[in-house]
Amino acid sequence: MLEDIQTLKSQVEAYQINTPEDLEAFRLKFVKKEIPALMGNMRNIAPENRKDYGLAVNELKGLAQEKFKAIQDTLKAASLEAGIQAPLDMTLPIVPHQLGSVHPLTLTQNRIIEIFERIGFNVADGPEIEDDWHNFTALNFPPNHPAREMQDTFFLEKDPDIALRTHTSSVQVRLMENQKPPIRAIMPGRVFRNEAISARAHCIFHQVEGLYIDENVSLIDLKQTLYHFAKEMFGKNTKIRFRPSYFPFTEPSAEVDISCNICQGDGCNVCKYTGWLEIGGSGMVDPNVLENCGIDSEKYTGFAFGMGIERITMLKYRIQDLRLFTENDVRFLKQFRNLV
Ligand code: PHE
């Protein structure tokens, strides 16, 4: 019996272990099977030899466990080292990299700028915090006139009034004060109105306004310019129409509609079965505004228009809820990834 132990001992000592698989085979063969089998054999051993037998088996068990542990440590250390030193495999596919996308409002704004630049309009910019003169008074809003209430204003200071601009018409005033006609420019930018946020309205939104002042500028120029814009933006079959309206700074004034780009004018739920969609306001610059800004209203005439960038983006990409523009939901934004 002791010879069996001796044989197993030499086997344990001689067993070649080079890989984790060898180590597992060793464990199963000796630690799990052969050595417990020798233990189980105890009852067949003569009582007087049991002590020696037990000691010998225990010694063998210790030997096997030690060998297992030592090799396990060596293999672990080697595999860690290999991990650090493994050469870079340049043929592996790269981890997909998420690229950002241009915001849909920026897409629309860029497109609007592109269309107007091609017909000779510059881009003008101005401050978002404005005084009463540039946002209202110069634009022919008389003091205490109800027209001021058409645009619920966020006031920052009272007397003199300082407010967040309610439209980019304030930039028109700045341009007219600082440049001599001819003036041909568009003013894209953020505007602010104290309105409840809903699917169709927000207290912060974007406008692009346009201004053209020169000798003999007429309503026909306004109509053709906006007609050109509508065809470029929404497709060559787009029609436009003007509806008489009121703005303090233009006379006459008109609201601008385009034929519904979804049903082509047949009537659908987007255009509320009218076949037309409103995109903005427009008109001939009121002579009072020209005079307020130091431009001779006998010599010069001009047109102005203003459109909501959110509104145009919603029509172009058929977006139902304006709040999506500011929620930063990547699932929404990702959809514009391939557009530039
Ligand atoms: N400023 C107007 C608005 O924000 C839009 C507009 C601009 C109307 C120019 C007519 C001419 O409501």
Side-chain angles (χ1 to χ4, degrees):
M1 278 301 164
L2 282 175
E3 292 91 75
D4 290 349
I5 299 176
Q6 211 48 53
T7 325
L8 211 55
K9 190 175 167 195
S10 352
Q11 281 180 21
V12 166
E13 280 166 348
Y15 201 93
Q16 283 292 320
I17 303 176
N18 298 315
T19 64
E21 291 75 37
D22 294 344
L23 185 66
E24 181 60 5
F26 173 86
R27 190 181 70 88
L28 291 177
K29 180 170 165 61
F30 297 104
V31 183
K32 284 272 153 201
K33 200 167 147 220
E34 308 265 356
I35 299 173
L38 288 179
M39 291 279 200
N41 234 357
M42 189 74 96
R43 70 184 105 85
N44 306 325
I45 305 292
E48 63 274 22
N49 294 333
R50 275 191 193 155
K51 189 173 167 213
D52 286 348
Y53 184 84
L55 280 174
V57 175
N58 267 339
E59 194 190 327
L60 176 60
K61 189 176 161 192
L63 185 84
Q65 281 174 343
E66 255 166 49
K67 177 162 177 159
F68 175 83
K69 181 85 183 67
I71 293 179
Q72 191 183 41
D73 288 350
T74 327
L75 286 176
K76 219 184 251 170
S79 83
L80 270 183
E81 208 167 301
I84 293 161
Q85 290 177 353
L88 251 187
D89 184 350
M90 302 299 276
T91 64
L92 284 175
I94 55 161
V95 180
H97 191 69
Q98 292 268 350
L99 284 180
S101 55
V102 180
H103 192 281
L105 293 179
T106 311
L107 285 172
T108 307
Q109 181 170 312
N110 290 347
R111 180 75 187 118
I112 294 173
I113 292 174
E114 191 177 73
I115 295 170
F116 282 105
E117 272 184 340
R118 285 199 193 150
I119 52 171
F121 282 76
N122 295 324
V123 177
D125 201 4
E128 293 181 344
I129 296 175
E130 268 299 4
D131 50 30
D132 180 86
W133 171 258
H134 291 96
N135 197 79
F136 291 122
T137 306
L139 289 161
N140 205 30
F141 285 81
N144 305 319
H145 192 275
R148 291 183 182 233
E149 272 139 48
M150 280 163 70
Q151 305 185 347
D152 308 286
T153 311
F154 283 116
F155 287 99
L156 303 178
E157 280 172 30
K158 278 274 178 199
D159 288 330
D161 287 346
I162 303 289
L164 295 174
R165 67 179 178 198
T166 57
H167 49 187
T168 52
S169 304
S170 54
V171 186
Q172 302 192 13
V173 175
R174 287 178 182 276
L175 263 187
M176 289 188 276
E177 284 174 338
N178 294 314
Q179 281 182 28
K180 297 241 161 304
I183 299 171
R184 196 155 36 181
I186 55 167
M187 310 85 196
R190 269 201 310 185
V191 298
F192 309 83
R193 290 186 196 176
N194 191 0
E195 282 183 31
I197 297 171
S198 71
R200 301 176 61 87
H202 206 290
C203 56
I204 303 176
F205 58 99
H206 298 77
Q207 274 190 335
V208 57
E209 295 211 355
L211 178 70
Y212 178 28
I213 296 177
D214 201 351
E215 289 177 42
N216 301 321
V217 175
S218 75
L219 202 64
I220 303 294
D221 299 312
L222 169 60
K223 199 163 179 181
Q224 284 304 317
T225 304
L226 291 178
Y227 182 40
H228 170 77
F229 166 75
K231 284 193 296 182
E232 288 290 309
M233 192 76 198
F234 294 103
K236 65 178 188 323
N237 295 325
T238 312
K239 297 192 225 7
I240 70 165
R241 75 173 184 187
F242 280 26
R243 264 180 302 113
S245 184
Y246 170 75
F247 299 104
F249 35 90
T250 47
E251 182 59 37
S253 304
E255 254 153 311
V256 187
D257 292 347
I258 58 162
S259 53
C260 179
N261 64 328
I262 291 163
C263 63
Q264 314 303 334
D266 293 344
C268 68
N269 61 350
V270 175
C271 61
K272 305 213 184 69
Y273 301 95
T274 62
W276 296 96
L277 298 160
E278 188 192 319
I279 58 161
S282 68
M284 298 306 293
V285 181
D286 193 301
N288 285 345
V289 175
L290 295 176
E291 293 297 334
N292 284 343
C293 301
I295 291 175
D296 182 356
S297 63
E298 296 289 328
K299 188 170 180 204
Y300 294 106
T301 49
F303 70 68
F305 59 87
M307 302 180 277
I309 298 182
E310 277 79 357
R311 172 94 179 133
I312 291 175
T313 312
M314 288 168 87
L315 295 176
K316 186 151 175 74
Y317 300 112
R318 303 186 190 175
I319 296 162
Q320 308 275 353
D321 192 328
L322 186 137
R323 288 168 292 198
L324 285 164
F325 293 131
T326 42
E327 279 168 353
N328 276 340
D329 184 335
V330 286
R331 292 168 303 178
F332 170 70
L333 297 172
K334 261 185 183 170
Q335 299 175 78
F336 300 88
R337 199 159 38 195
N338 298 324
L339 306 171
V340 277

